Amino acid sequence: MARVRTVRSLGVVGLVLAAAVTAGCSGSSSGPPAASHASSGSGSTSTTTVGASAAPAPTESNPPGDIPDNQAYVAFRPTGGGFTVKVPEGWARTGQGGTTVFTDKLNRVEIATASASSAPTVASVGSEVVSRLRGQVPKFDGPKVSQVNRHAGSAVLLKYQGDSAADPVTGKVVRDAFERYAFYRQGHEVDLTLSGPVNADNVDPWRIVTDSFSWK
């Protein structure tokens, strides 16, 4: 009887060991799915990072109001002669009385002629012209008057700022910078006014126009 109990005990121990081994194998098999889940999460993070980066916006070649460096110029001679000046080719032209205007987008060249008994001076422009423009130009500001030399000779230069007229379609108003050159000879005055947005770099084009002015 003792021997039978021993055999039964050994059998029970064997069954317990077999169950333990089976449970261990079953537990280790759960590892791969967990690892696969972690790998999938890593891949998702990588994809999100790549998708978040956006291409940079293209840089504009010219700020608004800049006149291109390759702009061509043509000579303008008013009816009756008296002088000639180069203006940008292809710009729209309008005229009324002794005033001719050339425009393109945000830029403008105005040429006004008048009879004058005496030559304009820094003092006369600083008082008479500035006073008149204050009532004509919206938000007129920062007038600076000086005497400058151009190829045609001496001229009185008035620099100032003001608001443009509202765009008829968008209603937008542009802050403009103005350069007004007053040329004079033998009772004839020509006022050459150049304007464009305050941030535009039109120093060279405006120099080309004003240096081209000549009496005929």
Side-chain angles (χ1 to χ4, degrees), residues 123-198:
S124 66
V125 171
S127 59
E128 299 170 12
V129 177
V130 168
S131 178
R132 185 173 70 250
L133 291 176
R134 284 189 187 280
Q136 297 175 344
V137 179
K139 296 184 179 179
F140 178 89
D141 188 43
K144 296 180 180 179
V145 187
S146 62
Q147 189 165 344
V148 296
N149 289 317
R150 289 296 185 263
H151 288 170
S154 177
V156 178
L157 169 61
L158 168 60
K159 290 185 176 183
Y160 59 96
Q161 291 186 9
D163 283 358
S164 70
D167 185 280
V169 178
T170 65
K172 291 183 178 179
V173 174
V174 176
R175 189 64 177 169
D176 283 337
F178 295 79
E179 293 184 8
R180 178 186 184 275
Y181 294 79
F183 295 92
Y184 176 86
R185 190 182 73 165
Q186 300 175 354
H188 299 283
E189 181 175 339
V190 177
D191 298 324
L192 182 59
T193 304
L194 318 168
S195 62
V198 292

Side-chain angles (χ1 to χ4, degrees), residues 9-72:
S9 297
L10 290 174
V12 171
V13 171
L15 290 174
V16 172
L17 290 175
V21 171
T22 302
C25 291
S26 175
S28 63
S29 66
S30 65
S36 174
H37 177 72
S39 174
S40 174
S42 174
S44 175
T45 302
S46 175
T47 302
T48 302
T49 302
V50 173
S53 61
T59 302
E60 295 183 10
S61 57
N62 290 314
D66 272 16
I67 298 173
D69 293 337
N70 62 351
Q71 173 67 55

